[in-house]
């Protein structure tokens, strides 16, 4: 069943357009604007160009989704298969199924919302031309990662996003941006070198780099030892990008230093590239190798869940001088741990839960980073102790709509039933209760119990954040310094005119509402109607785990 009937050739064109258009848009952004399009402000013209290009890509992605045959989500659709490097057997092979389509739509949506937000709130830094060009290159690489079906093309697309993200952090970021950018690039590049060796090993030993053919073969052309080595090598590169504990330490620094839209894209789409690689490459192509490492992957995943939550609790406590952006970054380590746990179960339930949690995390954490960026813009700081002064943030009284949306995003992140965050975590825990044949049930049920404990820790730190930031502290007014009473330095603009009397903050602006409302609405929609995602992913996952057989 398709929403609208679109011919295969048009579907091919749409997918190719979605991948290539941002790259062409990036080149056009660097060129001088035609006289009729310059307007009065060249900077606004290039920002408008970014909104236009990302908007066109989003529309094309939506049309592609409406033309997608939802009765056959396990079948690759909109495929293009052209020989590129015959000597190596590398082909330009594109296609989408029920696994990649939601990620494609999420990437197109988040990039458009970031471009729209930047049109009104451009981060301080060099030329807007370079900023828009980097965002578009980042979008092209991410979309290509979810659309290509050749191992070497996957690697090229996987690496394509590193340089633009490096410059977005290093040139438009905040404090310690250069150190954070270097840490990001070094970690991910070192992981990628090891991953390339694993991809080459699979391609050379099997005689093809085609991901569809390899998935159909289901590892039968590879010895167990080759699969084990390949999973170890590729898994390290994917785990760095995910990020999996203990390879996560680049993430909090990168998020803390990145501009708001950089954090949204990093959490919303870049982290998904690692987990997508586990599902698309390692599960179907090297199942024996995955079965060998699955218990270790699950163990690292649940350690990450607990570690990320404990780090957030430490940052959230009174007097810790914790940074709110850093806290949300550490929460991502925990949430992505649930995704890795679902993948490690190697069951349809667990993998579907992992894919659902991927999308939910992109929506919810993207919204959280937007909100934290807005709070930091209003206060000039993301320090929790400053924000939680007696008249500090107290967002319910000073900017009620902003406070309500922050509380909504927080309870969505902790997995409240009825919102998107609930289903992914629940399904991964169900998958861990009954893992695939050959995996230790006692071990995975232990992992399930630890993961369930992690959900309680998540609820604890998120509710502490809501209480402190949205309600303020209850410290007696007489014990506060002038800075504490206002929630900002005494000489800062906009401080209360009378000691201790809270001044109003700017509540949600129109452009902020436009950028944030789709994320909140989709979080509710996916929570109330999970079949909208599971109906796409489940047949594709069943086929993937069955070795290409429906």
């Amino acid at each position: 069943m398709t929403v609208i009937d679109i011919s295969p050739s048009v579907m091919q064109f749409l997918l190719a357009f979605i991948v290539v258009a941002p790259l062409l848009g990036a080149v056009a952004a660097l060129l001088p604007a035609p006289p009729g399009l310059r307007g009065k402000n060249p900077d606004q013209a290039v920002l408008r160009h970014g909104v236009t290009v990302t908007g066109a890509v989003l529309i094309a992605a939506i049309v592609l989704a409406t033309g997608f045959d939802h009765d056959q989500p396990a079948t690759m659709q909109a495929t293009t298969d052209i020989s590129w490097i015959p000597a190596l057997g590398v082909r330009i092979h594109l296609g989408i199924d029920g696994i990649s389509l939601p990620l494609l739509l999420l990437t197109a949506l988040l990039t458009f919302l970031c471009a729209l937000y930047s049109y009104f709130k451009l981060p301080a830094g060099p030329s807007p031309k370079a900023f828009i060009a980097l965002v578009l290159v980042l979008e092209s690489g991410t979309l290509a990662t979810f659309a290509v079906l050749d191992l070497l093309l996957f690697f090229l697309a996987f690496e394509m996003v590193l340089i633009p993200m490096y410059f977005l952090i290093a040139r438009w970021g905040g404090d310690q941006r250069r150190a954070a950018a270097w840490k990001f690039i070094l970690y991910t590049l070192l992981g990628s070198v090891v991953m390339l060796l694993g991809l080459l090993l699979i391609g050379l030993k099997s005689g093809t780099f085609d991901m569809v053919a390899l998935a159909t073969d289901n590892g039968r052309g590879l010895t167990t030892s080759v699969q084990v080595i390949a999973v170890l090598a590729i898994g390290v590169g994917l785990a760095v990008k995910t990020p999996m504990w203990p390879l996560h330490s680049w993430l909090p620094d990168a998020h803390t230093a990145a501009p708001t839209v950089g954090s949204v894209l990093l959490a919303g789409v870049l982290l998904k590239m690692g987990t997508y690689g586990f599902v698309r490459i390692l599960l179907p192509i090297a199942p024996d190798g995955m079965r060998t490492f699955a218990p270790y992957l699950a163990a690292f995943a649940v350690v990450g869940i607990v570690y990320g939550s404990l780090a957030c609790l430490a940052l959230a406590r009174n007097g810790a001088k914790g940074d709110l952006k850093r806290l949300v970054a550490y929460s991502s380590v925990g949430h992505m741990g649930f995704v890795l746990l679902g993948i490690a179960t190697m069951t349809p339930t667990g993998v579907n839960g992992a894919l659902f949690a991927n999308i939910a995390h992109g929506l919810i954490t993207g919204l959280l980073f937007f909100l934290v960026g807005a709070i930091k813009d209003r206060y000039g700081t993301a320090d929790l102790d400053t924000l939680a002064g007696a008249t500090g943030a107290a967002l319910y009284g000073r900017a009620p709509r902003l406070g309500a949306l922050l509380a909504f995003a927080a309870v969505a992140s902790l997995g409240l039933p009825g919102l998107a965050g609930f289903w992914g975590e629940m399904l991964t825990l169900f998958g861990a209760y009954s893992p695939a044949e050959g995996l230790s049930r006692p071990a995975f049920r232990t992992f399930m119990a630890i993961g369930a404990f992690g959900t309680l820790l998540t609820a604890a730190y998120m509710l502490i954040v809501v209480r402190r930031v949205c309600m303020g502290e209850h410290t007696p007014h007489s014990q506060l310094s002038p800075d504490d009473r206002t929630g900002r330095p005494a000489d800062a603009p906009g401080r209360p005119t009378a000691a201790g009397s809270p001044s109003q903050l700017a509540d949600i602006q129109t452009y902020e509402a436009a950028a944030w409302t789709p994320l909140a609405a989709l979080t509710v929609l996916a929570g109330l109607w999970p079949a909208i995602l599971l109906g796409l992913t489940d047949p594709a996952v069943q086929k993937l785990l069955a070795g290409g057989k429906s």
Side-chain angles (χ1 to χ4, degrees):
M1 179 196 72
T2 59
V3 178
I4 56 175
D5 190 19
I6 301 178
S7 69
S9 58
V10 174
M11 292 284 284
Q12 289 177 346
F13 170 78
L14 285 171
L15 185 57
F17 174 83
I18 288 167
V19 172
V20 175
L23 204 55
L24 299 177
V27 174
L30 297 174
L31 299 175
L37 298 178
R38 288 177 190 170
K40 295 180 180 179
N41 188 336
D43 289 349
Q44 288 299 105
V46 74
L47 294 172
R48 188 164 55 247
H49 169 78
V51 175
T52 303
V53 173
T54 55
V57 171
L58 176 59
I59 291 171
I62 293 171
V63 174
L64 183 72
T66 57
F68 186 84
D69 188 351
H70 292 259
D71 287 335
Q72 297 182 346
T75 303
M76 284 294 171
Q77 302 179 35
T79 54
T80 299
D81 193 1
I82 304 169
S83 178
W84 184 35
I85 308 176
L88 296 176
V90 180
R91 307 181 69 80
I92 298 176
H93 192 182
L94 306 176
I96 54 166
D97 64 357
I99 293 172
S100 51
L101 179 61
L103 290 166
L104 207 73
L105 288 167
L106 176 68
T107 302
L109 173 65
L110 281 176
T111 313
F112 169 71
L113 296 180
C114 285
L116 180 65
Y117 186 84
S118 299
Y119 180 81
F120 296 95
K121 191 71 177 178
L122 182 69
S127 162
K129 280 190 172 187
F131 178 83
I132 291 299
L134 289 170
V135 169
L136 291 173
V137 172
L138 185 70
E139 179 182 31
S140 181
T142 310
L143 291 168
T145 301
F146 300 137
V148 297
L149 297 172
D150 183 277
L151 288 179
L152 291 186
L153 277 184
F154 176 86
F155 177 78
L156 293 176
F158 196 85
E159 295 301 287
M160 185 176 167
V161 304
L162 300 185
I163 299 303
M165 182 53 73
Y166 166 82
F167 281 110
L168 285 174
I169 296 171
R171 302 302 298 276
W172 284 270
D175 297 336
Q176 305 296 319
R177 59 182 180 270
R178 294 190 183 278
W182 273 110
K183 198 171 186 178
F184 163 76
I185 199 77
L186 289 176
Y187 263 78
T188 48
L189 278 178
L190 287 173
S192 298
V193 169
V194 181
M195 183 176 75
L196 177 60
L197 296 177
L199 294 174
L200 290 173
L201 177 65
I202 287 177
L204 295 175
K205 289 294 184 179
S206 63
T208 181
F209 290 99
D210 187 271
M211 291 159 66
V212 176
L214 288 166
T216 304
D217 189 60
N218 201 222
R220 287 182 285 271
L222 301 171
T223 64
T224 301
S225 59
V226 168
Q227 290 189 38
V228 168
I229 296 170
V231 169
L232 180 61
I234 298 170
V236 167
L238 297 175
V240 170
K241 185 68 72 74
T242 298
M244 181 185 77
W245 182 91
L247 304 174
H248 69 284
S249 61
W250 62 269
L251 183 72
D253 292 339
H255 270 310
T256 305
T260 297
V261 295
S263 293
V264 171
L265 292 174
L266 183 58
V269 294
L270 261 69
L271 303 188
K272 311 303 175 283
M273 296 165 65
T275 52
Y276 175 77
F278 276 104
V279 175
R280 179 64 74 197
I281 297 174
L282 294 184
L283 277 178
I285 294 175
D288 294 338
M290 271 298 292
R291 198 168 286 107
T292 299
F293 284 106
Y296 304 102
L297 179 63
F300 283 128
V302 295
V303 170
I305 291 169
V306 175
Y307 170 82
S309 299
L310 291 176
C312 290
L313 278 171
L315 289 169
R317 67 184 173 84
N318 192 13
K321 291 292 180 185
D323 186 282
L324 190 53
K325 281 189 77 175
R326 197 172 188 85
L327 185 147
V328 177
Y330 270 111
S331 77
S332 291
V333 177
H335 288 307
M336 298 311 288
F338 280 103
V339 177
L340 291 173
L341 176 61
I343 293 169
T345 67
M346 299 183 70
T347 62
T349 302
V351 177
N352 275 305
L355 294 171
F356 199 103
N358 249 349
I359 300 299
H361 178 265
L363 296 171
I364 297 166
T365 308
L367 178 58
L368 274 171
F369 274 117
F370 267 134
L371 293 168
V372 173
I375 292 171
K376 188 173 182 178
D377 288 339
R378 285 159 169 78
Y379 280 92
T381 181
D383 178 72
L384 266 168
D385 288 337
T386 302
L387 294 176
T391 59
L395 287 178
Y396 288 157
R398 305 189 66 186
R401 288 189 292 275
L402 183 60
L405 193 55
L406 178 63
F408 167 82
V411 297
S413 183
L414 63 83
L416 184 74
L419 299 176
F422 170 74
W423 295 105
E425 294 181 3
M426 185 193 71
L427 289 172
T428 57
L429 294 176
F430 279 175
Y433 183 79
S434 183
E437 186 179 348
L439 299 178
S440 169
R441 282 200 172 190
F444 271 83
R445 288 182 179 178
T446 302
F447 298 147
M448 180 197 73
I450 297 172
F453 176 66
T455 63
L456 300 178
L457 295 177
T458 304
Y461 72 73
M462 278 299 177
L463 292 176
I464 289 173
V465 168
V466 170
R467 177 181 60 78
R468 299 191 70 201
V469 177
C470 294
M471 302 177 189
E473 300 286 20
H474 297 290
T475 309
H477 183 271
S478 59
Q479 297 179 14
L480 298 176
S481 69
D483 285 10
D484 292 328
R485 292 172 191 167
T486 63
R488 61 178 72 228
D491 59 350
R495 61 184 290 266
T497 53
S501 61
S503 60
Q504 287 299 112
L505 283 179
D507 213 335
I508 296 177
Q509 305 295 299
T510 303
Y511 72 92
E512 292 173 330
W516 304 344
T517 301
L519 300 179
L522 289 171
T523 298
V524 174
L525 178 64
L528 296 177
W529 190 18
I532 197 171
L533 273 177
L534 295 175
L536 283 171
T537 61
D538 185 52
V541 167
Q542 297 274 4
K543 181 177 180 179
L544 206 68
L545 295 176
K549 301 168 186 170
S550 300

